[in-house]
């Protein structure tokens, strides 16, 4: 089992709809969860982080965390063509042992169709 | 409010040469992380440094790779005797704070620089 798993996609969503991106992780002790957006040829851009169970909203983005199920998701409302990118889920695996490294999923490629 | 800076942005080296990649963290950040992204692969952690200290190098290849973050100046990722398999994008990230197992503070967000794209010919 991979430490952080994402559906690689591609995920195609019509403009204006809700895009739903999912991520599961293996380390039950993880406390910190991040979503990055990466455009082709560019660096990852932090768009959301969540530390507590439940939902966290920021503009059109909502991150959802369920530690019992070891599951974190990202919802993008009112999807725009500019949201087309690869979305990377990152988890601080090994935090309980003092680790600070982020373990990334493979990324989900999202395409918003006008 | 300058972000994480990396240079050079593109670096071409012949097999056997040395590559030096530099990273200056965001203002106020004292923790630096290096990641590598191979073509069509995910981001992989390499090393985590604080000023003058390597904290975690569990992702660094055992040979040819080294990293430092001196008291003054940028962090340096050094690759000796490069091979074609070293061709990748190397990203540096910085964060303002870190947590240890003895505290209840979680890890903080990491912000990435633009990356250095290394091509080995």
């Amino acid at each position: 089992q991979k430490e952080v798993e994402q559906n690689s996609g591609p995920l195609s969503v019509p403009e204006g709809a809700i895009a739903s991106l999912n991520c599961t992780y293996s380390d039950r002790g993880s406390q910190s969860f991040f979503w990055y957006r990466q455009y082709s040829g560019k660096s990852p851009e932090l768009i959301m982080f969540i530390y507590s169970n439940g939902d966290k909203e920021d503009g059109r983005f909502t991150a959802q965390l369920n530690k019992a199920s070891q599951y974190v998701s990202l919802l993008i409302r009112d999807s725009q063509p500019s949201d087309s990118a690869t979305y990377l889920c990152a988890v601080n695996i090994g935090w309980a042992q003092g680790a600070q490294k982020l373990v990334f999923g493979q990324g989900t490629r999202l395409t918003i169709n006008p | 409010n300058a972000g994480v800076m990396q240079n050079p942005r593109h670096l071409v080296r012949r097999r056997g040469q040395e590559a030096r990649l530099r990273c200056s963290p965001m203002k106020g950040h004292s923790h630096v992380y290096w990641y590598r992204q191979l073509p069509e692969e995910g981001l992989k952690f390499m090393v985590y440094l604080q000023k003058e200290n390597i904290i975690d190098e569990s992702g660094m290849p055992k040979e040819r790779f080294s990293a430092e973050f001196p008291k003054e100046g940028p962090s340096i990722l050094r690759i000796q005797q490069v091979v074609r398999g070293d061709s990748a994008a190397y990203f540096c990230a910085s964060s303002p704070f870190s947590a240890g197992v003895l505290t209840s503070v979680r890890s903080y967000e990491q912000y990435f620089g633009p990356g250095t794209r290394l091509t080995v010919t």
Side-chain angles (χ1 to χ4, degrees), chain B residues 36 39-40 44 46 81 104 118:
Chain B
R36 177 166 65 174
E40 303 305 319
K44 303 292 185 188
M46 299 181 75
Q81 299 177 312
S104 60
L118 172 66

Side-chain angles (χ1 to χ4, degrees), chain A residues 36 38 41 43 51 92 96 100, chain B residues 37 99 101 107 109-110 113 117:
Chain A
Y36 287 84
Q38 187 174 28
S43 63
Y51 301 140
N92 187 342
Q100 289 298 305
Chain B
Q37 190 170 37
V101 71
S107 60
E109 312 86 72
Q110 296 180 20
R117 278 148 185 85

Side-chain angles (χ1 to χ4, degrees), chain A residues 31-32 34 36 38 41-44 46 49 51-52 88 92 95-102 104-106 109, chain B residues 33 35 37 40 42-43 45 48 56 58 91 98-99 101 103 105-114 117:
Chain A
Q31 298 288 328
S32 308
F34 307 88
Y36 287 84
Q38 187 174 28
K42 302 295 184 183
S43 63
L46 180 65
F49 56 90
Y51 301 140
S52 303
L88 304 170
N92 187 342
W95 175 85
Q97 290 75 41
Q100 289 298 305
K101 62 184 179 184
L102 293 182
F104 284 81
Q106 286 293 100
R109 190 172 300 176
Chain B
Y33 313 80
Y35 293 83
Q37 190 170 37
E40 303 305 319
L43 276 162
F45 168 81
Y48 162 41
D56 181 352
S58 58
F91 293 102
S98 71
V101 71
T103 74
V105 179
R106 305 171 187 91
S107 60
Y108 281 67
E109 312 86 72
Q110 296 180 20
Y111 296 89
F112 281 77
R117 278 148 185 85

Side-chain angles (χ1 to χ4, degrees), chain B residues 52-114:
Chain B
E52 300 184 280
N53 280 304
I54 297 174
I55 307 302
D56 181 352
E57 56 182 347
S58 58
M60 288 278 271
K62 298 296 181 209
E63 298 177 349
R64 303 187 297 108
F65 285 73
S66 62
E68 62 176 6
F69 190 13
K71 187 176 180 181
E72 301 291 338
S75 175
I76 306 283
L77 179 68
R78 183 183 178 204
I79 312 172
Q80 295 178 291
Q81 299 177 312
V82 295
V83 300
R84 287 214 172 119
D86 297 332
S87 295
Y90 292 82
F91 293 102
C92 168
S94 71
S95 71
F97 198 76
S98 71
V101 71
L102 298 179
T103 74
S104 60
V105 179
R106 305 171 187 91
S107 60
Y108 281 67
E109 312 86 72
Q110 296 180 20
Y111 296 89
F112 281 77

Side-chain angles (χ1 to χ4, degrees), chain A residues 29-107:
Chain A
S30 296
Q31 298 288 328
S32 308
F33 308 88
F34 307 88
W35 283 100
Y36 287 84
R37 177 176 63 197
Q38 187 174 28
Y39 294 111
S40 181
K42 302 295 184 183
S43 63
E45 174 191 6
L46 180 65
I47 54 173
M48 288 289 286
F49 56 90
I50 186 166
Y51 301 140
S52 303
N53 274 329
D55 294 0
K56 179 183 177 183
E57 187 174 319
D58 184 1
R60 296 186 296 111
F61 298 100
T62 299
Q64 299 175 316
L65 175 62
N66 184 327
K67 290 184 181 178
S69 301
Q70 294 174 238
Y71 175 92
V72 59
S73 64
L74 179 70
L75 301 177
I76 307 174
R77 290 181 301 281
D78 189 23
S79 298
Q80 304 295 311
S82 60
D83 295 327
S84 298
T86 296
Y87 288 80
L88 304 170
C89 172
V91 180
N92 187 342
I93 299 286
W95 175 85
Q97 290 75 41
Q100 289 298 305
K101 62 184 179 184
L102 293 182
V103 177
F104 284 81
Q106 286 293 100

